[in-house]
Amino acid sequence: MEYKFGEIEKKWQKYWDENKTFKVEVDHSKPKFFILDMFPYPSGSGLHVGHPEGYTATDIVGRFKLMKGYNVLHPMGWDSFGLPTENYAIKTGIHPNIITKKNIQVFKRQLKSLGFAYDWDREISTSDKKYYKWTQWIFTKLYNKGLAYEDEIQVNWCPELKIVMANEEVVNGKSELGGYTVIRKPMKQWMLKITEYADRLLEDLDELDWPDNIKEMQRNWIGKSEGANVKFKIADHNQTIDVFTTRSDTLFGATYMVLAPEHELVTKITTAENRKKVNEYIQKAAGKSDLERTDLAKEKTGVFTGACAINPVNNKKIPIWVADYVLISYGSGAIMAVPAHDQRDWEFARHFDLPVIPVLEGGDIEKEAFVEDGIHINSGFLDGLGKEDAVNKMNSWLIENKLGKKEINYKLRDWVFSRQRYWGEPFPILKYEDGTVRCLDDDELPVTLPEVEKYEPSGTGESPLANIDSWLNVTDPKTGKKARRETNTMPQWAGSCWYYLRFCDPGNDEKAWSDEAEKYWMPVDLYIGGVEHAVLHLLYARFWHKVLYDLGLVSTKEPFKKLVNQGLILGEDGEKMSKSRGNVINPDHVVNNYGADSLRLYEMFMGPLEKVKPWSEKGVKGVFNFLVRAYKFFANPDHLTKETEDPETLKVLHQTIRKVENDIEGLRFNTAISQMMIFTNHCMKAGTVTRNTAEIFTKLLSPFAPHLAEELWQIFGNRPSIAYEEFPVYNEEFLKEDIFEYPVSFNGKLRFKIELALSLEKEEIEAAVLSDERAVRWLDGKKQKKIIIVHKKIINVVV
RNA sequence: GCCCAGGUGGUGGAAUUGGUAGACACGUUGGACUUAAAAUCCAAUGGCCAUAAACGGUCGUGGGGGUUCAAGUCCCCCUCUGGGUACCA
């Protein structure tokens, strides 16, 4: 009766494959459940044990929902465009397509070896032209809606990778991938107007069943702030400077102004004697990496322009400075500085000896800026007011005097949507010689990637596509004009922005998805993935989804109803798994030694799904032992000879049904497994159980360890697949208890336990407890003040 | 700096609304089986004190205070760890 997991697992994987056990179609007679994993990037190193954590969780929920009568959509695919593949292609000269196909093969074999209940007929790959045709199609929708535009912008140029990166891909002045230095350089880029959706992306977060911290991160990223736009006249010029401020109430305390070095007015207003200094400063700022510019600890720098502005509230002249602590990309790129009540301005004023005028009472402005609420002083018509009232009054005053208006600003910026790379979706864009642009029509899609010899970027900043004349230069059949194709490609986020929609209807050649499939399957009921995508992927996908919603192409405002982030799995040494540390665990190794069911079970048993937790091979052995014991016990007919089940076993069984069901619903897989262990231990002690008991237990186990469950199910003489069986229902009858062992404590300290009938009245319990000889001892002649009796919980005697 | 999460035995972790802290598992120790080992099975296993043994006592959920009959759980202060973020006006 050996547990031959290797044979068992291969046998059932083959069975599921051949019988298409998990094939799924739209079926209006059943409620649907759409479960989604963040699909993997098929890297060259294959799966690591972090991947199956989320996948196992979704698989358990999927199999459970199936047994609960749902029509479950649980697909898998590949986020297969991406930089590492292209870099590998550059190094080896092998076509990224070939590399990708190979990597996918490895990933697929590995995933299949884990027994996930995917409908493999729905497999998609973002680098497949059948898929990216529709990514391009969505781009045309964005373009035609006016949400895509080209702009000459300061971009993050990485000389090493020869690519432009979005701000969010640059970490501390280095590229997120590879850690190369990034500098700023102006370049024409495709942009998506995600800012137009900022408010809705913010508001609709409220209705999502997402972890609060993720919602908070998105809120912070969008960074909505309400304030006022104030116009400052420039002395001896007829121009004005607009500033954005959330603290218009401190206007009387504005003692200078600051423009970002890139601000267009800087060169216009700088006086002759300051020109040299200012130009030098601008040059220096441009040469600085983001790392240097955003280093909070550094001393503030800046130069005086020689020009002055007029503070509109008191007509005082205040100097205008240039400093790189003001960012051109936020607000208007200019600020009014209130050093008494803003720490950054305070530091700057201190350094350059500029006046600091307090306009709110409180704090000690000799030491630091006072940023809290207080009563206004030195503020004319605001004197005596608190912050909120003063802001309102000032804003009304500004509007009345046509000196400003209310304004809302966002940290969120438009999305830089082009990459100078080969391995991405080409844009469906033609550029004519006269500089005009045409976005292709549906019937002209897809624009496929041409074959190239070399994958290196052109070096001028353009992608390798710029070198392929035959692809690049075309005569547009629709207009007859000569045209050049757009040589940029889309970023990796593009494909993953809508893959969940394609999963609803992956084989559709006519449309990206049918209305019927979309209406039936959407939204995604449960989305599990890593927290690293908390902001970008999830925000971009929500943005696209809202655009599609506005176009009537999808029926839900939000794509992902419930989101859960699985925690990282660390190496045995408690460090992040990495090749360099040599602590990477390959799932193949675990499958070979202990089997897929053990791997699945262990990943779930380690601890709460959301938590970061270290790997332990000993732990794998622990759950492996459990499976061996379960197999040896239940597969042996000698143990299933009981005719009528013991009440005690029935009780544990039904407790187990209840706990496993509740825990799966709550994604608490670790405690569900421990309950199944308790049950198995109980059965082994009992010696024999009924076949019915064994079958019920096997069904409970089946979402977790599906291969073993199928095997047992067959051994019991049933027809496969157990995946189609109904999930057991617990019966309250068997859970009833009539006696309870009450812990009795004196002044909150547990002293002894006493078995009492649950039917007893409080007075009877009290009498029983007090007459117990142990109680007499603990009372020690003293009189009890009162007795607290909590039904089925505890008895506490207060002495 | 700010925001978020967290700190429970030797280890991973349990503890549903405040109600028996340490479920389950790993590890360790002892025993059975074996020529022996592995595997398996059985038993013990938070610290300290006490005891021939049993019954026990006492401390204990990062630290300190508080609320409560009762606190891992609620409140206040401190501390440490992990993650995120970066001059956003």
Side-chain angles (χ1 to χ4, degrees), chain A residues 56 59-60 63 596-598 600-601 604 660 663-664 668-670 672-673 676 699-707 727:
Chain A
T56 304
D59 198 56
I60 291 167
R63 288 173 178 269
D597 283 338
S598 290
R600 295 168 57 112
L601 219 56
M604 296 298 99
V660 170
D663 284 355
I664 293 177
R668 294 180 297 268
F669 306 109
N670 53 333
I673 293 166
M676 289 191 283
K699 287 183 199 170
L700 297 181
L701 182 66
S702 67
F704 297 83
H707 309 87
F727 199 80

Side-chain angles (χ1 to χ4, degrees), chain A residues 119-321:
Chain A
D119 175 2
W120 281 109
D121 289 348
R122 288 179 183 257
E123 179 181 357
I124 56 176
S125 181
T126 56
S127 61
D128 182 341
K129 61 175 182 266
K130 282 192 194 143
Y131 181 90
Y132 71 69
K133 170 181 178 176
W134 302 109
T135 310
Q136 291 172 340
W137 174 76
I138 294 175
F139 176 82
T140 66
K141 298 287 165 200
L142 291 158
Y143 183 90
N144 292 330
K145 209 172 180 293
L147 292 168
Y149 63 100
E150 275 188 293
D151 197 11
E152 185 87 21
I153 52 158
Q154 288 279 343
V155 294
N156 304 301
W157 171 250
C158 178
E160 198 77 27
L161 296 170
K162 295 191 181 106
I163 59 161
V164 173
M165 296 176 153
N167 288 324
E168 48 270 33
E169 288 174 295
V170 182
V171 181
N172 286 336
K174 304 269 178 191
S175 63
E176 196 183 15
L177 275 165
Y180 302 111
T181 303
V182 175
I183 60 163
R184 298 176 70 75
K185 181 175 164 180
M187 203 181 266
K188 210 168 192 191
Q189 296 293 328
W190 280 98
M191 307 287 289
L192 294 185
K193 276 190 201 162
I194 189 171
T195 50
E196 205 159 280
Y197 282 75
D199 254 327
R200 284 164 64 192
L201 289 168
L202 188 65
E203 277 164 24
D204 291 346
L205 280 172
D206 294 340
E207 61 192 59
L208 295 175
D209 184 5
W210 286 20
D212 285 334
N213 60 321
I214 302 292
K215 290 203 220 178
E216 199 54 31
M217 281 164 82
Q218 293 221 345
R219 281 189 197 106
N220 291 340
W221 192 266
I222 295 166
K224 180 176 184 170
S225 79
E226 293 180 42
N229 179 300
V230 186
K231 279 186 195 313
F232 281 70
K233 277 204 181 98
I234 305 172
D236 311 319
H237 280 264
N238 47 14
Q239 261 155 330
T240 56
I241 300 176
D242 281 20
V243 302
F244 173 71
T245 176
T246 55
R247 294 296 306 274
S248 54
D249 62 312
T250 61
L251 204 41
F252 283 94
T255 54
Y256 64 101
M257 292 189 78
V258 183
L259 301 180
E262 300 87 351
H263 198 284
E264 54 164 4
L265 284 176
V266 172
T267 47
K268 290 182 189 161
I269 62 167
T270 301
T271 55
E273 63 265 32
N274 290 293
R275 183 144 294 150
K276 199 169 159 239
K277 257 187 352 194
V278 169
N279 282 345
E280 275 171 15
Y281 186 77
I282 294 170
Q283 288 254 304
K284 236 164 64 188
K288 273 188 193 174
S289 71
D290 270 12
L291 178 67
E292 291 168 294
R293 262 182 91 158
T294 58
D295 186 359
L296 240 162
K298 80 166 183 26
E299 216 169 61
K300 299 250 181 306
T301 60
V303 285
F304 179 45
T305 60
C308 283
I310 311 289
N311 187 335
V313 283
N314 52 18
N315 290 318
K316 275 191 188 155
K317 267 174 108 174
I318 55 173
I320 303 172
W321 286 63

